[in-house]
Amino acid sequence: MPEVQDIIALLPSPPKKDVDLIIDAYNFAQKAHDGQTRKSGEPYFIHVFHTAKYLAELGMSPTVIAAGFLHDVLEDTDTTEKEMQDAFGEEIVGLVKSVTKLGTVKYKGIERNVENLRKFFISIADDFRVIIIKLADRLHNAETLQYVRPDKQRRIALETLEIYAPLANRLSLGKFRGRLEDAAFPYAYPKEYKATKEIMDARKESDEQNLQEFERILREKLEEEHIKTIHVDYRTKHLYSLWNKLKKYNGDMTRIYDVIALRVIVKNVEDCYAVLGVIHSNWKPLPGRIKDYIALPKPNGYQSLHTTILTRRSGIIEVQIRTEEMHIEAEYGIAAHFAYKEKLKVEKKDLRKEYEWIDELKHLQYNNDSKAFLENIKGDFFKSRVFVFTPKGDVIDLPEGATVIDFAYHVHTDIGDHAQGGKINGKFSPLHAVLHNGDICEIVVNKQSKPSQKWIEHAKTMMARNKIQKHFKNESLLDKFKKYLL
Ligand code: MN
């Protein structure tokens, strides 16, 4: 049986009451699951132990770790809510109940899945901790897929890749995303996994050697300029994202430069740009490959400077430069905001604002068509987003492929309803013109203009479509009312 000490050891000098809480949860869960086994033949407790451990590794609080231990107790054992309440109090029971609620529907075909997902998403808007527990639970389930029936394997693997991993990404839990994908990829796409792994294995060693050589020279140059680094290392691309990139480039490996990327972690933002300057004055950057995600963060909040350079001795190398805070945010994302470990705590920001899209999800008008809902979720929220600026510099976050109409309705319903056209970067553009990252868009408004049926086709976001539909509904109501009056 795994030891509770393994988990306590992950917490930095926790006070006695926290240690006691974790030991109590460990014992309670072990007793409750006594006699139950998983498909692997292992005691069921092993599963909840790992869930709790992953949460501890993420730096979550003892309350969340305890809920991780207890997450399957209400669903899978005879223990009552009252018993758990008496032992652990309201907060932990609340977390466990929410996680249980999400888990009540098991994988019985796509319709049921979507129903489950719906609950899932609505609940996360209330408590982010629930989703982090659910992700830890799913991670262990994905990591033990070899014991699952083959027909179920693929379904769970696909669900992990299509729903859970993107969700982890959206919450910028980079570590979890990578692990979820690694675990699920071989079961979702066995052939593709094998091919990608062969490609990776074939070049990993020489890539690593090249990188070490480059790192040595870069360190010297940085020292000459008196720029201190906190940490320099490299990361290997996860196989699943490598495969996605290969698909994008029709299998052309020569176009993928970041199989292995060097990461330079420095003290502050000024140093980030200073490091970039040193690199560019010593090596030639590849055009179009310099990305300033510090000035323009990715939709999930990711910040870093990226550049790809040409070296004579080591070939083409991608370098990622960021501060320690940005690094923690990239690896632990939303979890960093709840972190127990001081080290992981990032400056408290307005979470609501940062994760506005979750609120947006919550307020979506769900229709009864589960497939449409799934498409909407996958389409609107899991694809990459584009940032479009208003002339005043406000940022509007839209899904890829969004048009001027979407932008107009996201600025204001009235502006949408009376939009006549748009100016993209100062150029007149029709309402159906597609917007791109960094565009500045201004809506040309005309009081006489009103929505036409065609707009529904032009709009890419559910929000704009709903508002256009609503306009037509109001209009027909008004017509009826007028008839009544006349
Ligand atoms: Mn579980």
Side-chain angles (χ1 to χ4, degrees):
M1 211 45 84
E3 296 289 333
V4 69
Q5 281 308 327
D6 294 348
I7 287 179
I8 292 166
L10 294 168
L11 308 178
S13 49
K16 187 172 178 301
K17 72 167 178 39
D18 288 348
V19 174
D20 288 347
L21 171 61
I22 288 171
I23 293 174
D24 286 349
Y26 173 94
N27 288 330
F28 194 94
Q30 198 173 26
K31 213 172 134 210
H33 288 293
D34 188 36
Q36 292 177 336
T37 51
R38 296 194 99 210
K39 291 262 161 54
S40 61
E42 282 181 333
Y44 195 91
F45 178 72
I46 300 282
H47 165 66
V48 298
F49 180 87
H50 276 96
T51 305
K53 191 168 172 230
Y54 295 158
L55 292 167
E57 284 168 357
L58 266 185
M60 301 305 288
S61 72
T63 306
V64 177
I65 297 170
F69 269 123
L70 303 170
H71 82 272
D72 279 331
V73 165
L74 292 182
E75 192 187 356
D76 295 335
T77 77
D78 297 332
T79 312
T80 63
E81 196 183 314
K82 169 109 186 19
E83 287 168 311
M84 193 187 282
Q85 169 101 30
D86 290 345
F88 295 99
E90 216 167 279
E91 189 183 6
I92 288 179
V93 172
L95 287 171
V96 172
K97 272 169 69 184
S98 297
V99 176
T100 306
K101 204 171 69 191
L102 301 179
T104 44
V105 185
K106 289 259 158 69
Y107 325 106
K108 289 173 188 150
I110 187 78
E111 291 299 309
R112 297 299 297 271
N113 258 337
V114 171
E115 187 55 40
N116 190 14
L117 273 171
R118 187 175 302 186
K119 288 183 195 161
F120 192 24
F121 284 107
I122 295 166
S123 76
I124 58 166
D126 296 318
D127 196 330
F128 292 107
R129 295 177 301 175
V130 173
I131 202 173
I132 294 173
I133 297 168
K134 193 69 200 164
L135 285 171
D137 171 44
R138 170 52 65 115
L139 178 58
H140 187 251
N141 285 335
E143 283 175 346
T144 47
L145 271 175
Q146 71 264 38
Y147 303 112
V148 173
R149 265 201 342 252
D151 58 314
K152 271 174 93 186
Q153 266 177 350
R154 179 144 202 272
R155 199 160 59 221
I156 295 172
L158 281 173
E159 196 184 57
T160 303
L161 290 178
E162 287 178 10
I163 307 295
Y164 288 85
L167 188 57
N169 184 44
R170 269 318 240 142
L171 298 172
S172 60
L173 287 159
K175 277 221 149 138
F176 257 50
R177 176 210 180 171
R179 288 169 73 178
L180 285 163
E181 288 177 348
D182 282 350
F185 185 28
Y187 295 97
Y189 305 102
K191 269 189 230 141
E192 291 83 350
Y193 166 77
K194 217 176 143 251
T196 313
K197 193 168 180 318
E198 271 166 21
I199 292 172
M200 176 69 94
D201 289 348
R203 58 178 285 175
K204 204 179 160 193
E205 204 177 314
S206 71
D207 274 9
E208 276 179 13
Q209 275 170 6
N210 285 340
L211 216 62
Q212 279 162 10
E213 172 71 8
F214 170 73
E215 184 189 332
R216 195 181 54 76
I217 303 168
L218 176 63
R219 277 182 188 277
E220 283 172 17
K221 303 272 183 210
L222 291 176
E223 223 160 276
E224 281 168 25
E225 301 297 324
H226 307 289
I227 300 168
K228 279 208 183 84
T229 57
I230 292 177
H231 194 67
V232 181
D233 68 0
Y234 58 84
R235 70 108 187 91
T236 310
K237 205 171 183 61
H238 285 280
L239 287 179
Y240 184 63
S241 54
L242 177 59
W243 176 55
N244 274 320
K245 247 195 181 164
L246 277 170
K247 264 200 313 195
K248 198 164 133 192
Y249 295 132
N250 296 317
D252 184 359
M253 195 62 189
T254 59
R255 291 183 62 189
I256 300 177
Y257 305 123
D258 63 340
V259 174
I260 297 183
L262 192 77
R263 282 196 299 217
V264 182
I265 316 289
V266 291
K267 208 172 79 209
N268 52 40
V269 172
E270 293 81 74
D271 284 356
C272 290
Y273 289 103
V275 171
L276 187 73
V278 169
I279 292 173
H280 285 176
S281 56
N282 286 284
W283 292 275
K284 251 199 174 29
L286 255 63
R289 300 274 314 169
I290 307 161
K291 311 237 173 72
D292 186 346
Y293 295 122
I294 291 180
L296 285 172
K298 282 192 186 180
N300 66 4
Y302 175 82
Q303 286 189 297
S304 225
L305 298 175
H306 288 192
T307 185
T308 306
I309 46 152
L310 198 60
T311 69
R312 205 175 300 158
R313 281 151 84 175
S314 309
I316 292 170
I317 284 174
E318 177 171 311
V319 188
Q320 305 175 351
I321 309 153
R322 50 193 186 237
T323 66
E324 204 172 20
E325 259 187 12
M326 292 170 189
H327 186 58
I328 289 168
E329 181 86 30
E331 302 268 271
Y332 297 96
I334 198 168
H337 296 271
F338 300 108
Y340 180 68
K341 295 179 187 176
E342 248 343 282
K343 192 173 86 173
L344 289 184
K345 266 203 181 131
V346 294
E347 194 189 329
K348 264 221 168 7
K349 291 177 198 157
D350 187 355
L351 266 186
R352 281 286 157 200
K353 198 166 163 42
E354 210 169 325
Y355 295 95
E356 229 165 50
W357 62 277
I358 292 176
D359 266 347
E360 214 179 306
L361 256 182
K362 200 182 171 192
H363 294 130
L364 268 181
Q365 286 295 312
Y366 303 129
N367 52 39
N368 287 322
D369 182 356
S370 294
K371 266 198 192 117
F373 177 80
L374 183 64
E375 284 315 308
N376 179 25
I377 288 217
K378 281 164 76 176
D380 263 6
F381 292 97
F382 286 163
K383 267 197 210 145
S384 37
R385 312 280 292 183
V386 290
F387 285 127
V388 181
F389 298 89
T390 69
K392 279 186 187 158
D394 291 330
V395 183
I396 308 282
D397 177 4
L398 295 164
E400 227 167 34
T403 61
V404 174
I405 297 247
D406 294 298
F407 179 85
Y409 275 104
H410 274 80
V411 173
H412 198 278
T413 307
D414 264 346
I415 292 183
D417 280 344
H418 300 294
Q420 192 177 38
K423 268 195 214 167
I424 303 175
N425 305 322
K427 225 177 105 194
F428 279 102
S429 310
L431 288 169
H432 61 265
V434 172
L435 294 162
H436 297 96
N437 221 356
D439 278 344
I440 298 168
C441 184
E442 187 181 349
I443 300 298
V444 181
V445 178
N446 182 338
K447 276 204 178 129
Q448 313 306 325
S449 291
K450 54 183 190 175
S452 79
Q453 289 289 346
K454 264 215 139 33
W455 286 22
I456 295 172
E457 288 165 46
H458 295 332
K460 286 288 166 312
T461 60
M462 210 61 170
M463 193 242 223
R465 282 197 208 128
N466 284 341
K467 284 190 172 172
I468 297 164
Q469 308 255 15
K470 206 172 155 201
H471 170 89
F472 289 129
K473 232 181 256 168
N474 287 345
E475 203 170 44
S476 66
L477 254 179
L478 202 67
D479 282 344
K480 271 185 204 156
F481 201 60
K482 270 185 199 155
K483 267 183 215 150
Y484 178 74
L485 282 177
L486 290 172

